[in-house]
Amino acid sequence: MLERHFTIGYDELSNRSWVLKYKENDMELRVLKYFLVVADEGNITVAANRLHMTQPTLSRQLHDLESELGQKLFVRKSHNIILTQEGIILRKRAEEIVALSDKTEREFKAMKNDMRGEVYIGSGETEAMDYIASACSSVYKTFPGIRYHLYSGNAMDIIERLDKGLLDFGLLIHHRDIAKYDYVEFPVKDVFGVFTRRDSELAKKPCVTLDDIAAEPLIFSKQALEEKYEINDIAKWFGYAWNKLNIISTFNLRCNAAALARQGIGHIVSTGGRVDISGDRELCFREFEPKLEVGIVLVWKKDKILSGAAELFLKRLKEII
């Protein structure tokens, strides 16, 4: 078992944000795992049973954790415990540390046998996933011991996990800030438009213009709203209307936003990739006019040494492309 040591302190720049700093002879990884189980269960007794340890032992571990960090992590009530703000911060960091440790351990175990391994891929909703699936299928036929872990998120989510080493590859749509990554481009593009109710006025049109939607209630990707204007293709398409749009909701992934659109609350502005609306009796997709197409790339860190399984996947993907 790989074990890493850490401590937590305040960020000197913000004087508030917490950062994790690894330090020898400090807290063990197993204590972080104990903390996460307690945070998940919200009950010391239940967590102790799950961990196959006594309640006093677990309580002592948590008390030592709070003492070492100098922060109160839980609010203890009669039948349950609740995370404090500091506990919430630690939970997020602990999940990242444990995930990275587990990933590293599996990679080292896989080195004993080149027929096995783990590949971690992050992706948004895009047609390029068909290429990813094809590469996985091709590799699986020869090396069925390789496992694939797919993480769904927008570009910001994927980049964050990629930079932290939690992903091997990230599939990005119309993302231009990729100078620090190696990448391969896909021979397909995603097309922007709107998902709207089939009984809406927009659905009656073969395509949607700026005049058609400039004043309509819209449901937008959070990423699109936060991206800098100079590299934001969708903002440039909207032009003069960009800062005047009636945005009623934002989303991370489109599947949840579709529930709002079905209620007629607004129209989803998005690419049409990976959404099968042929059987959807309520929603349809209409492309923008003029057409707005965006490229798709698979990226990985330039300084990252890929595992044998990841290298094999990448080789097959390039051959398919």
Side-chain angles (χ1 to χ4, degrees):
M1 174 67 66
L2 295 176
E3 290 202 349
R4 300 185 176 188
H5 303 285
F6 73 100
T7 187
I8 293 183
Y10 283 103
D11 186 344
E12 295 177 357
L13 295 179
S14 66
N15 201 34
R16 288 184 60 84
S17 300
W18 283 44
V19 294
L20 287 168
K21 301 176 181 178
Y22 291 93
K23 180 180 178 182
E24 292 186 0
N25 301 320
D26 216 339
M27 205 165 309
E28 295 180 351
L29 181 63
R30 64 180 175 82
V31 180
L32 275 188
K33 292 182 177 180
Y34 294 164
F35 167 78
L36 289 176
V37 172
V38 174
D40 288 342
E41 297 293 349
N43 183 286
I44 295 288
T45 302
V46 175
N49 291 334
R50 178 174 157 187
L51 291 167
H52 305 291
M53 60 195 303
T54 65
Q55 181 178 336
T57 300
L58 180 56
S59 295
R60 185 170 61 253
Q61 294 281 1
L62 296 178
H63 181 269
D64 290 345
L65 177 60
E66 291 180 315
S67 296
E68 183 164 350
L69 298 179
Q71 296 291 335
K72 190 175 181 63
L73 302 175
F74 300 98
V75 175
R76 291 162 174 81
K77 297 192 174 182
S78 55
H79 299 292
N80 67 326
I81 59 175
I82 301 172
L83 290 177
T84 62
Q85 184 60 38
E86 291 78 11
I88 293 172
I89 294 173
L90 177 59
R91 183 179 190 172
K92 183 177 187 299
R93 299 293 183 260
E95 287 172 344
E96 293 171 354
I97 290 174
V98 170
L100 184 57
S101 176
D102 290 346
K103 179 177 182 292
T104 303
E105 183 177 0
R106 286 191 291 266
E107 287 176 346
F108 271 84
K109 286 181 177 178
M111 292 177 185
K112 298 177 182 178
N113 185 345
D114 61 1
M115 300 294 286
R116 307 185 66 83
E118 313 271 337
V119 182
Y120 295 78
I121 306 167
S123 173
E125 298 158 310
T126 168
E127 296 292 349
M129 269 304 298
D130 287 339
Y131 288 89
I132 300 295
S134 180
C136 292
S137 174
S138 176
V139 173
Y140 179 78
K141 291 174 183 177
T142 309
F143 302 105
I146 294 177
R147 297 175 62 193
Y148 300 91
H149 304 274
L150 303 181
Y151 172 81
S152 298
N154 62 25
M156 292 183 291
D157 299 329
I158 292 167
I159 287 295
E160 180 182 5
R161 296 181 72 86
L162 194 66
D163 289 345
K164 290 179 178 178
L166 299 175
L167 295 175
D168 296 312
F169 304 101
L171 192 60
L172 305 178
I173 307 168
H174 70 101
H175 196 79
R176 298 184 181 181
D177 187 19
I178 57 174
K180 63 180 179 180
Y181 304 103
D182 285 323
Y183 65 92
V184 58
E185 291 189 66
F186 288 86
V188 294
K189 293 181 181 295
D190 276 347
V191 180
F192 265 98
V194 294
F195 287 90
T196 185
R197 284 182 58 93
R198 292 184 183 275
D199 58 3
S200 72
E201 290 299 316
L202 294 183
K204 299 175 183 179
K205 301 176 180 293
C207 55
V208 173
T209 67
L210 177 58
D211 288 341
D212 292 330
I213 63 170
E216 291 288 321
L218 302 176
I219 304 171
F220 246 92
S221 162
K222 184 178 180 182
Q223 174 190 331
L225 296 178
E226 294 180 351
E227 196 170 56
K228 295 178 181 178
Y229 184 86
E230 55 268 24
I231 60 171
N232 191 332
D233 293 322
I234 187 67
K236 292 179 180 178
W237 188 89
F238 276 94
Y240 73 89
W242 179 245
N243 293 320
K244 304 175 183 178
L245 296 177
N246 179 20
I247 299 172
I248 61 159
S249 177
T250 63
F251 63 89
N252 182 21
L253 291 178
R254 205 168 36 212
C255 53
N256 289 331
L260 296 178
R262 290 189 184 98
Q263 293 296 321
I265 296 174
H267 316 283
I268 303 173
V269 176
S270 175
T271 59
R274 301 309 303 166
V275 175
D276 180 12
I277 47 85
S278 57
D280 194 319
R281 292 175 295 180
E282 297 176 85
L283 295 182
C284 61
F285 181 73
R286 295 292 181 264
E287 293 183 6
F288 283 160
E289 176 60 42
K291 178 176 285 191
L292 175 58
E293 293 182 316
V294 289
I296 310 165
V297 294
L298 184 79
V299 303
W300 61 97
K301 294 178 68 174
K302 286 184 177 180
D303 60 347
K304 179 179 176 63
I305 299 176
L306 296 175
S307 67
E311 286 278 11
L312 182 58
F313 163 79
L314 183 59
K315 181 175 182 293
R316 292 290 174 85
L317 179 65
K318 289 181 176 179
E319 291 171 353
I320 290 171
I321 290 178

